């Protein structure tokens, strides 16, 4: 946001230069990101003086050039070669002396130097209006008032304005500072804290009066929630033309291009007081009616930028008796604006619902100065005041008359907000005991009224322009920024207390597992919790009625909170694959959100994604994809790290997997993992296999807390491994084999592993071959072959009896 130093001076006589003022603004929370210089005429006409043409003769060596003698002040006469057809002796003209810097149409500079033109020396340049930046005429030199004294700086005659412009990085909560008046209010409070009591000069509207009542526009508002206040007034006999130079300079200083005196006046008041206004050509308002209402979805409307837009059913529109004229608070229509032919104006000043304006602006991708202010919330009590200010200004600079009473539709007066401020809370949050009188002084400087004072605190009334101050902590923040963050003293002592924290704190376990996954080659990601509702179509588990919708979404792609971690991860995979990074291992800790009949729920998850090869391409290592079993090993390592054992295994029920497993504890599901369906991957523009795991992290934490840490000594005696090649029915699972083995030999059997699977040639139909290894170990002695053979025989007998297995 741009704020003019000279413009601020109209509200408050600043005692310091722009640089010092900028430092105070930054201390007050209005961070000045830079200060730039502005000149109403580029170069400020420096070096340009009034010259008196003493003589004018034809150039001896050129037909179209004149040789002049010019008095440029202090008795100094110089010779200047001039090619203007209107140059003549006796004229007073602007002369650019040696060393003067002028600027061309592109803003590029060039310096006036002593030179020879066709053999004759020239000691300067006699300038046209365009060469000086004072007009567009360049057919001849500029002839000035004959009463002017030679040598007078031209800058003094044309009152060139030099200004300093602050670029303020305005935070979204400071809607009250979106104008020069608002910034001046803050400066008044800041200087008062420094012991300088400055007067805040408010623009007067006391001279506002109705000249006649010859033009009445009837106003109707359909929905007072969308337009809580709407004011209008008409002006007639308006002469639309160029704005006065002072007004043009004000707008140019803050980066606005002047249009005409009516539009410029509305822009001026908006940046002066923070209240957006809109001027309509009253002659184009059918039926002399203004209707503030919504229209049917799909209604066509062409805005000032000549773009035809389709209206949404929630877009608030300003209409006449026949057609829409303007998108309320956002952008005007192409057919209703003020032109050079306009003689009658309907001037609008209103308060529109901030959420409604923001939705409309985002929906149509329009960002205007008006929508910027309406979205953040303006002062509803300044609507009529700003209208009077603008009407008076238009009347003054266009010669118009005010031809109607102000029609003010203010449906339900908004009362100023009440807050009770406790001294204890002030001192606790600020960290310093402030005197009661200091607090009162700061509040008074901010126009926050103290209603009553007790031993514990004070009751306050917040002014309507501070839409962001709603809580006690907001008031304390206001006190602190005016008091000065730099004025808070640091104590000599540093007090610390040792917190008693559990080893099962979520962040500790999260960091533990994150470290392990990073060590296994994974990268951590952090995705946006906002996503699109379109993903619900890809899984029956994602219900539209369960989703948490944003009331004011940034876009349709970020309109709901995610119900699953899957799609944010697939978006990251798709993004990387499209940039030639196809071998990916990533994980994310995040939350999912659901809205059930019983209430809203947030659940924390850990998601793992694997796609592509699990090892980098190398001459001495075989390439291999990160498949289902690789992910299963990663999952087992996580549970092993957390000490979680004895998990129940069954097929995953989720419809996002083409095949998958679910691991559960005693009470709840801990993780589901598997191969993501190709139909889902196709929608995400992924054409390679993706393995995905979804941990219910809240349940993992709870189960981790239940695990008791046990320590055992390292076995002194060797282990023994034996293998079986089992011929089995295709329906038999490895899970059944492992379960039977551990039930058969509970003491000595330390591990079971499936190391080979074969199906196909040389095997009976419906059969498969599993190669399974068994490791035995006794903690107290070395096992003998006889003992191992006995245990293997038991296993063989049970496999043959319960699984119909055969040894190959």
């Amino acid at each position: 946001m741009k704020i003019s130093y000279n413009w601020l001076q109209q509200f408050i006589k600043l005692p310091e230069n722009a640089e010092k003022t900028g430092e105070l603004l930054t201390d007050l929370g209005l961070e000045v990101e830079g200060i730039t210089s502005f000149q109403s005429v580029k170069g400020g006409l420096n070096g340009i003086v009034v010259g008196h043409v003493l003589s004018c003769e034809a150039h001896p060596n050129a037909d179209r050039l004149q040789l002049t003698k010019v008095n440029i002040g202090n008795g100094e006469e110089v010779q200047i070669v001039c090619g203007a057809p209107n140059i003549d002796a006796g004229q007073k003209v602007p002369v650019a002396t040696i060393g003067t810097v002028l600027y061309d149409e592109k803003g590029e500079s060039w310096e006036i130097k002593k030179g020879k033109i066709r053999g004759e020396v020239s000691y300067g340049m006699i300038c046209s209006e365009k060469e000086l930046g004072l007009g567009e005429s360049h057919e001849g030199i500029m002839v000035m008032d004959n009463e002017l004294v030679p040598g007078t700086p031209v800058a003094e005659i044309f009152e060139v304005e030099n200004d300093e412009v602050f670029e303020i990085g305005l935070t979204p909560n400071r809607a009250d500072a979106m104008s020069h008046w608002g910034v001046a209010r803050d400066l008044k409070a800041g200087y008062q804290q420094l012991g300088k009591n400055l007067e805040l000069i408010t623009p007067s509207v006391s001279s506002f009066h109705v000249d006649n009542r010859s033009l009445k526009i009837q106003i109707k508002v359909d929905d007072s929630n969308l337009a809580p206040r709407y004011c209008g007034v008409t002006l007639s006999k308006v002469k639309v033309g160029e704005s006065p130079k002072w007004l043009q300079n004000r707008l140019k200083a803050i980066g606005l291009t002047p249009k005409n005196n009516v539009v410029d006046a509305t822009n001026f008041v908006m940046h002066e007081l923070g209240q957006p206004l809109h001027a309509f050509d009253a002659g184009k308002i059918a039926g002399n009616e203004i209707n503030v209402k919504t229209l049917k979805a799909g209604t066509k409307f062409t805005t000032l930028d000549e773009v035809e837009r389709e209206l949404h059913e929630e877009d608030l529109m300003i209409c006449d008796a026949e057609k829409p004229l303007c998108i309320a608070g956002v952008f005007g229509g192409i057919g209703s604006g003020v032109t050079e032919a306009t003689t009658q104006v309907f001037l609008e000043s209103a308060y529109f619902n901030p959420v409604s304006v923001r939705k409309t602006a985002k929906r149509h991708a329009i960002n205007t100065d008006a929508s910027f202010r309406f979205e953040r919330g303006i002062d509803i009590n300044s609507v009529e005041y700003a209208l009077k200010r603008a009407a008076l200004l238009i009347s003054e600079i266009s010669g118009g008359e005010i031809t109607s009473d102000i029609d003010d539709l203010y449906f339900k007066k908004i009362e100023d907000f009440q807050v009770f401020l406790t001294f204890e809370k002030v001192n606790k949050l600020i960290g310093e005991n402030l005197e009661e009188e200091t607090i009162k002084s700061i509040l008074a400087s901010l126009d926050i009224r103290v209603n009553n004072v007790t031993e514990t605190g004070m009751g306050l009334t917040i002014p309507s322009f501070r839409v962001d101050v709603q809580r006690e902590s907001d008031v304390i923040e206001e006190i602190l920024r005016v008091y000065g963050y730099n004025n808070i003293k640091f104590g000599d002592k540093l007090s610390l207390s040792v917190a008693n924290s559990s080893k099962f704190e979520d962040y500790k376990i999260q960091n533990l597992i994150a470290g392990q996954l990073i060590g296994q080659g994974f990268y951590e990601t952090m995705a946006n919790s906002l996503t699109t509702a379109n993903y619900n179509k890809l899984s029956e588990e994602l219900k539209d009625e369960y989703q948490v919708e944003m009331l004011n979404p940034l876009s349709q792609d970020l309109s709901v909170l995610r119900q699953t971690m899957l799609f944010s991860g697939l978006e990251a995979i798709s993004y990387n694959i499209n940039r030639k990074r196809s071998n990916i291992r990533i994980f994310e800790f995040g939350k999912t959100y659901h809205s059930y009949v019983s209430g809203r729920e947030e659940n924390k998850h850990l998601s793992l994604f694997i796609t592509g090869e699990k090892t980098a391409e190398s001459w001495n290592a075989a390439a291999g994809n990160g498949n289902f079993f690789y992910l299963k090993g990663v999952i087992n390592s996580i549970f092993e790290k957390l000490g979680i054992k004895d998990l129940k295994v069954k097929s995953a029920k989720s419809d996002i997997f083409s095949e998958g497993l679910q691991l559960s504890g005693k009470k709840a599901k801990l993780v589901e993992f598997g191969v993501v369906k190709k139909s889902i991957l196709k929608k995400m523009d992924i054409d390679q296999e993706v393995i995905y795991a979804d941990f219910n992290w809240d349940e993992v934490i709870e189960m981790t807390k239940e695990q008791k840490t046990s320590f055992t000594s390292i076995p002194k005696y060797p282990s023994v491994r034996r293998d079986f090649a089992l011929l089995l029915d295709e329906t038999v699972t490895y899970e059944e084999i492992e379960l039977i083995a551990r039930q058969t030999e509970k003491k000595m059997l330390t591990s079971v592993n499936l190391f080979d699977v074969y199906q196909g040639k040389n095997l009976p139909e419906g059969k498969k071959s599993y190669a399974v290894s068994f490791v035995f170990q006794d903690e107290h002695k070395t096992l003998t072959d006889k003992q191992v053979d006995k245990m293997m025989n038991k296993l063989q007998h049970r496999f043959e009896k319960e699984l119909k297995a055969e040894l190959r």
Side-chain angles (χ1 to χ4, degrees):
M1 182 182 71
K2 295 182 183 296
I3 294 293
S4 158
Y5 179 79
N6 289 352
W7 200 339
L8 284 175
Q9 296 272 31
Q10 293 181 203
F11 297 101
I12 184 170
K13 299 303 179 185
L14 297 170
E16 297 177 310
N17 60 25
E19 185 176 352
K20 289 293 184 181
T21 303
E23 292 176 5
L24 179 57
L25 284 172
T26 298
D27 290 342
L28 289 167
L30 301 177
E31 183 180 359
V32 175
E33 297 175 342
I35 303 176
T36 56
S37 296
F38 167 79
Q39 293 176 314
S40 58
V41 178
K42 195 168 181 63
L45 299 179
N46 294 329
I48 314 293
V49 298
V50 175
H52 182 202
V53 182
L54 302 174
S55 65
C56 181
E57 300 175 356
H59 193 292
N61 301 318
D63 294 338
R64 297 184 179 181
L65 297 179
Q66 304 292 323
L67 204 61
T68 67
K69 294 287 184 181
V70 183
N71 175 13
I72 59 173
N74 298 324
E76 185 180 357
E77 296 180 7
V78 295
Q79 177 174 285
I80 299 176
V81 176
C82 180
N86 63 331
I87 186 71
D88 202 358
Q91 292 174 336
K92 297 290 176 64
V93 293
V95 177
T97 56
I98 301 298
T100 299
V101 176
L102 296 178
Y103 296 85
D104 61 19
E105 294 179 359
K106 297 180 181 179
E108 296 180 0
S109 63
W110 52 286
E111 185 179 346
I112 301 297
K113 298 179 180 179
K114 174 185 173 182
K116 277 191 176 183
I117 302 176
R118 294 291 182 95
E120 295 292 337
V121 179
S122 182
Y123 291 90
M125 175 180 172
I126 302 175
C127 303
S128 68
E129 287 183 1
K130 191 167 186 177
E131 289 163 339
L132 296 178
L134 295 173
E136 294 300 319
S137 175
H138 60 90
E139 295 177 357
I141 54 96
M142 182 180 184
V143 179
M144 304 178 74
D145 189 343
N146 203 41
E147 299 298 322
L148 295 173
V149 178
T152 303
V154 173
E156 294 179 5
I157 300 169
F158 290 98
E159 298 181 354
V160 175
E161 181 164 353
N162 295 292
D163 198 357
E164 301 291 327
V165 180
F166 304 107
E167 183 67 46
I168 295 179
L170 192 68
T171 53
N173 65 308
R174 291 304 308 276
D176 64 295
M178 294 187 297
S179 65
H180 287 76
W181 189 19
V183 173
R185 275 193 306 246
D186 258 22
L187 285 171
K188 176 181 179 294
Y191 277 116
Q192 184 171 315
Q193 182 61 26
L194 296 174
K196 299 175 182 178
N197 292 316
L198 305 180
E199 181 186 1
L200 186 63
I201 305 167
T202 305
S204 174
V205 294
S206 60
S207 62
F208 179 88
H209 68 279
V210 179
D211 295 300
N212 59 71
R213 294 175 174 80
S214 59
L215 180 59
K216 171 68 174 176
I217 302 290
Q218 185 68 36
I219 301 174
K220 297 178 183 177
V221 175
D222 282 0
D223 190 341
S224 61
N225 290 322
L226 297 180
R229 190 175 189 183
Y230 192 94
C231 294
V233 71
T234 65
L235 293 95
S236 300
K237 298 182 180 180
V238 172
K239 294 181 181 179
V240 178
E242 191 177 83
S243 296
K245 289 297 180 184
W246 69 264
L247 177 52
Q248 292 190 42
N249 290 340
R250 286 284 179 264
L251 299 179
K252 288 177 180 178
I254 59 174
L256 297 183
T257 302
K259 299 288 194 304
N260 58 58
N261 48 9
V262 175
V263 174
D264 292 349
T266 60
N267 285 332
F268 176 84
V269 173
M270 176 173 63
H271 288 275
E272 179 186 50
L273 304 178
Q275 170 67 49
L277 303 111
H278 192 76
F280 298 89
D281 186 333
K284 299 175 183 177
I285 299 176
N288 281 353
E289 289 183 13
I290 286 291
N291 298 313
V292 184
K293 61 183 181 179
T294 56
L295 299 175
K296 291 182 180 179
T299 301
K300 306 290 186 182
F301 180 69
T302 304
T303 46
L304 280 171
D305 55 1
E306 299 183 357
V307 175
E308 185 179 73
R309 305 177 189 275
E310 279 195 12
L311 300 179
H312 188 272
E313 59 188 8
E314 295 180 359
D315 291 339
L316 186 64
M317 302 295 296
I318 311 299
C319 309
D320 60 18
E322 299 174 356
K323 60 188 179 297
L325 305 174
C326 173
I327 303 177
V330 179
F331 211 17
I334 196 168
S336 63
V338 173
T339 66
E340 292 181 359
T342 300
T343 59
Q344 295 178 317
V345 170
F346 173 74
L347 189 60
E348 164 198 283
S349 179
Y351 179 94
F352 298 117
N353 184 292
V355 174
S356 173
V357 172
R358 180 170 177 78
K359 284 184 175 181
T360 296
K362 291 297 180 184
R363 198 177 287 128
H364 296 289
I366 301 173
N367 183 26
T368 61
D369 284 339
S371 67
F372 176 82
R373 286 160 175 78
F374 279 125
E375 288 173 17
R376 286 155 179 79
I378 59 172
D379 180 8
I380 195 169
N381 290 329
S382 292
V383 170
E384 184 185 20
Y385 168 65
L387 182 67
K388 289 181 178 180
R389 169 71 169 149
L392 285 172
L393 184 57
I394 293 173
S395 178
E396 176 189 337
I397 64 179
S398 71
E401 297 178 346
I402 297 172
T403 51
S404 76
D405 292 309
I406 290 178
D407 199 352
D408 184 2
L409 277 64
Y410 193 177
F411 298 95
K412 184 179 179 181
K413 184 174 176 58
I414 296 177
E415 299 296 333
D416 290 341
F417 202 77
Q418 307 293 317
V419 171
F420 188 80
L421 180 70
T422 59
F423 299 130
E424 181 184 2
K425 189 71 174 288
V426 172
N427 297 332
K428 182 179 179 181
L429 288 185
I430 292 180
E432 188 168 315
N433 294 331
L434 300 186
E435 296 291 334
E436 183 179 321
E437 290 305 315
T438 301
I439 295 174
K440 286 182 179 180
S441 174
I442 292 174
L443 292 175
S445 70
L446 294 169
D447 294 332
I448 297 176
R449 190 169 69 250
V450 178
N451 299 322
N452 56 78
V453 180
T454 67
E455 291 183 1
T456 59
M458 55 182 70
L460 308 173
T461 297
I462 310 301
S464 57
F465 60 81
R466 289 313 304 267
V467 294
D468 61 312
V469 180
Q470 301 286 300
R471 304 169 300 169
E472 183 183 17
S473 55
D474 296 331
V475 178
I476 297 171
E477 181 185 1
E478 292 299 295
I479 294 171
L480 179 56
R481 71 180 183 85
V482 175
Y483 180 76
Y485 291 93
N486 295 333
N487 293 327
I488 302 300
K489 300 180 180 64
F490 288 94
D492 297 328
K493 295 188 301 181
L494 184 63
S495 300
L496 294 175
S497 60
V498 179
N500 180 23
S501 63
S502 168
K503 67 177 181 179
F504 298 112
E505 292 280 352
D506 186 353
Y507 76 92
K508 291 183 178 180
I509 298 177
Q510 181 175 314
N511 289 341
L512 178 70
I513 298 305
Q516 176 167 310
L517 289 171
I518 290 169
Q520 292 173 323
F522 285 77
Y523 290 89
E524 185 171 8
T525 64
M526 184 179 293
N528 197 336
S529 294
L530 294 172
T531 187
T532 174
N534 294 333
Y535 287 147
N536 293 356
K537 301 173 184 177
L538 301 181
S539 172
E540 294 181 1
E541 294 180 12
L542 307 178
K543 307 289 186 182
D544 289 341
E545 58 267 28
Y546 293 164
Q547 68 189 15
V548 180
E549 297 182 356
M550 302 300 294
L551 293 176
N552 193 15
L554 294 172
S555 68
Q556 293 303 310
D557 290 337
L558 300 171
S559 59
V560 299
L561 290 169
R562 62 185 176 187
Q563 295 185 51
T564 175
M565 304 277 285
L566 173 65
F567 297 106
S568 55
L570 292 180
E571 286 173 352
I573 288 174
S574 177
Y575 182 90
N576 279 273
I577 290 175
N578 288 336
R579 285 154 183 78
K580 306 302 181 183
R581 296 182 65 87
S582 56
N583 303 325
I584 302 166
R585 279 175 284 177
I586 58 176
F587 71 95
E588 179 189 2
F589 288 97
K591 288 187 176 182
T592 59
Y593 307 84
H594 296 82
S595 181
Y596 299 121
V597 176
S598 58
R600 291 180 176 174
E601 287 187 9
E602 292 185 19
N603 296 300
K604 192 167 185 179
H605 293 256
L606 165 62
S607 61
L608 305 180
F609 293 87
I610 297 175
T611 186
E613 296 182 357
K614 62 184 177 182
T615 56
E617 189 176 34
S618 175
W619 66 272
N620 64 349
N625 286 336
N627 56 25
F628 177 89
F629 298 101
Y630 173 69
L631 178 59
K632 185 173 183 289
V634 173
I635 292 169
N636 286 337
S637 70
I638 291 174
F639 286 130
E640 184 177 342
K641 188 77 172 179
L642 299 176
I644 298 175
K645 302 176 183 178
D646 301 327
L647 298 178
K648 300 175 185 177
V649 183
K650 60 180 180 181
S651 297
K653 296 180 180 179
S654 177
D655 66 347
I656 64 173
F657 298 120
S658 57
E659 54 180 324
L661 290 178
Q662 174 183 303
L663 301 182
S664 304
K666 295 178 181 179
K667 300 177 181 178
K669 176 181 69 177
L670 297 182
V671 62
E672 273 191 333
F673 63 98
V675 181
V676 180
K677 282 184 176 178
K678 289 184 178 180
S679 59
I680 294 177
L681 298 179
K682 186 176 180 181
K683 291 287 186 181
M684 304 299 294
D685 194 27
I686 299 172
D687 58 4
Q688 62 188 54
E689 186 178 74
V690 176
I691 318 298
Y692 165 62
D694 178 26
F695 286 81
N696 185 341
W697 190 250
D698 294 324
E699 291 297 333
V700 170
I701 295 294
E702 289 303 314
M703 193 162 181
T704 302
K705 293 177 181 178
E706 296 175 4
Q707 305 305 309
K708 293 183 178 179
T709 304
S710 60
F711 298 91
T712 56
S713 59
I714 298 174
K716 297 179 181 179
Y717 301 97
S719 60
V720 178
R721 168 178 164 162
R722 295 288 177 88
D723 300 338
F724 271 158
L726 300 173
L727 187 64
L728 302 159
D729 289 338
E730 285 182 336
T731 57
V732 175
T733 64
Y734 167 72
E735 180 186 1
E736 293 176 278
I737 295 173
E738 183 175 2
L739 181 62
I740 291 173
R742 294 195 179 280
Q743 289 175 345
T744 304
E745 182 52 57
K746 298 179 180 180
K747 292 184 178 180
M748 304 295 183
L749 183 61
T750 58
S751 71
V752 183
N753 183 47
L754 176 66
F755 64 89
D756 189 36
V757 178
Y758 176 73
Q759 283 179 285
K761 191 176 179 181
N762 299 328
L763 289 182
E765 187 176 348
K767 296 288 185 177
K768 62 183 177 182
S769 175
Y770 273 5
V772 186
S773 66
F774 304 90
V775 177
F776 303 95
Q777 190 172 39
D778 191 330
E779 295 180 359
H780 307 292
K781 61 183 179 182
T782 301
L783 290 172
T784 63
D785 287 342
K786 185 176 181 180
Q787 290 174 307
V788 176
D789 289 342
K790 183 178 180 181
M791 288 185 284
M792 291 297 290
N793 288 333
K794 282 184 181 180
L795 293 174
Q796 179 183 347
H797 177 71
R798 287 203 63 179
F799 292 152
E800 290 173 347
K801 181 180 179 181
E802 298 182 24
L803 302 178
K804 308 299 182 185
E806 299 178 24
L807 291 182
R808 293 186 64 200

